[in-house]
Amino acid sequence: MRQSSARWPVPFLLVALAVPLPLQAQKAAAAYEVVHGWPDLPAGEVLGQATGVAVSSKGEVLVFHRANRTWVEPFPADPIDRPTIAVFDGKSGRFLRSWGAGTFIMPHSITVDRKDNVWLTDVARQQVLEFSSDGRLLLTVGEKGVAGNDRTHFDRPTDVAVLADGSFYVSDGYRNTRVVRFAADGTYLFEWGTKGSGPGQFDLPHSLAVDAEQRVYVADRSNSRIQVFDSVGHFQAEWKDARIGRPFALTVHGDRVFAADGGDQPKAPPDRGGVAVLDRTGRVITSFGRYGNYDGQFRVAHDIAVGADGAVYVADALGQRVQKFVLARH
């Protein structure tokens, strides 16, 4: 697959508001622009299919990628022999370190919790793995390489959201269409979701996030919507909007929900892509980005993260890169 990380001299700034907003909302709306030249990869280094991005409390940006492997089915059995986690300084984009060689088969998502522990999903390993910030394995949930639909197995798990007490939710995922909650030690607690398009049903729950009130937001990818639940899985709301599109990833930052639209992935381009910024009622405040290879564009916006400073990071799977966006200065 071709690396698509060329830098372009033309400034890129996109903000799309399809309908007029009240004055207060207009003031709250903000335009984002891409940071050209971020990150700074070492000479000769490239990212593989970048499927996950997360930010630590230190402002380090971790990118989970597939190195020299691409999505192919049936999945290989052997692990990727190259590092699959690249770590950058969020402010400067300077490359800091990499790890993960010989561990992952088909990387999918990455989450960093309040303790800076790193949670990773691997759809071929059929597991969720928790590592310390220095790379020590702390917890494994699921049986390696064995698919299932019970308390101890997954079938291609897609994402993890970790709560303050260490308990966590897993979106599971490509085949099981459910959300599962576990205690901090990996003990199964409960689950919800079945295949379908009704309230509380899913068609590929691809990502999830939790806000300060423990509302759970689920990117119901193939249903082209975001669903909102309380902490025990009771349905609260459904959000659908052309600017949300087909949500591949979600993250919560303050009173905003950020959603990455990965597009419809047709057999031939053009496709659609971008990021929508929503308030807690599901109203789209602003959006930015579109399909393409230029700076500020996406081929498949697969994951999204927001740093403490408000910078937005988007992992582009087919573009094989991660991009940084900041509020535009006028």
Side-chain angles (χ1 to χ4, degrees):
M1 177 174 290
R2 180 170 64 89
Q3 172 73 6
S4 303
S5 58
R7 304 301 175 194
W8 299 84
V10 180
F12 184 89
L13 175 61
L14 280 174
V15 53
L17 292 173
V19 294
L21 294 174
L23 180 60
Q24 183 177 1
Q26 291 179 21
K27 291 180 179 179
Y32 286 84
E33 60 185 4
V34 69
V35 178
H36 300 284
W38 194 102
D40 184 15
L41 280 166
E45 291 291 325
V46 296
L47 294 177
Q49 291 185 342
T51 58
V53 63
V55 186
S56 76
S57 66
K58 299 176 182 178
E60 295 180 348
V61 178
L62 292 78
V63 182
F64 198 26
H65 65 99
R66 294 174 182 154
N68 54 350
R69 180 165 291 170
T70 60
W71 182 290
V72 60
E73 297 189 58
F75 292 146
D78 58 306
I80 300 168
D81 59 4
R82 294 175 52 187
T84 52
I85 296 105
V87 185
F88 303 93
D89 176 70
K91 289 185 177 180
S92 68
R94 180 170 58 91
F95 175 79
L96 299 176
R97 61 189 178 276
S98 62
W99 55 282
T103 302
F104 302 100
I105 301 173
M106 193 59 67
H108 198 267
S109 74
I110 186 169
T111 301
V112 176
D113 67 20
R114 292 165 178 81
K115 297 179 180 178
D116 280 341
N117 292 332
V118 182
W119 298 73
L120 301 142
T121 63
D122 186 316
V123 292
R125 285 186 61 131
Q126 303 287 8
Q127 289 178 313
V128 172
L129 302 100
E130 179 193 8
F131 292 83
S132 65
S133 58
D134 59 2
R136 291 178 294 110
L137 182 62
L138 302 176
L139 178 69
T140 302
V141 184
E143 185 177 356
K144 185 178 179 180
V146 179
N149 187 9
D150 55 37
R151 297 184 173 202
T152 59
H153 293 85
F154 302 113
D155 202 343
R156 301 190 180 185
T158 52
D159 200 12
V160 180
V162 186
L163 303 179
D165 65 358
S167 64
F168 57 97
Y169 296 93
V170 176
S171 50
D172 177 39
Y174 278 91
R175 291 177 171 170
N176 280 343
T177 62
R178 61 177 180 168
V179 173
V180 189
R181 184 166 175 177
F182 296 89
D185 65 356
T187 301
Y188 171 96
L189 296 177
F190 59 85
E191 65 181 79
W192 73 90
T194 57
K195 179 80 170 182
S197 58
Q201 296 182 317
F202 302 112
D203 190 357
L204 211 177
H206 198 257
S207 177
L208 74 173
V210 182
D211 67 16
E213 287 71 44
Q214 295 197 15
R215 287 185 292 261
V216 183
Y217 303 83
V218 181
D220 191 4
R221 174 176 143 179
S222 293
N223 280 324
S224 298
R225 64 181 179 178
I226 296 169
Q227 292 195 73
V228 187
F229 303 89
D230 67 14
S231 62
V232 293
H234 295 139
F235 175 82
Q236 303 289 300
E238 173 192 89
W239 299 347
K240 293 176 74 76
D241 188 289
R243 290 160 292 175
I244 296 173
R246 191 181 297 275
F248 275 50
L250 299 172
T251 193
V252 174
H253 180 73
D255 62 353
R256 295 289 183 260
V257 178
F258 292 73
D261 176 12
D264 296 327
Q265 297 183 307
K267 292 182 179 180
D271 197 0
R272 187 191 62 253
V275 172
V277 185
L278 303 95
D279 65 18
R280 297 289 186 83
T281 70
R283 182 179 59 187
V284 177
I285 299 300
T286 190
S287 60
F288 59 92
R290 62 183 177 86
Y291 178 81
N293 284 326
Y294 287 79
D295 269 8
Q297 300 176 351
F298 317 106
R299 289 184 63 191
V300 174
H302 196 272
D303 200 10
I304 188 167
V306 182
D309 61 356
V312 180
Y313 302 90
V314 181
D316 184 348
L318 291 188
Q320 296 183 237
R321 60 179 176 170
V322 61
Q323 296 183 82
K324 177 180 180 179
F325 297 83
V326 295
L327 290 172
R329 296 179 181 179
H330 298 290

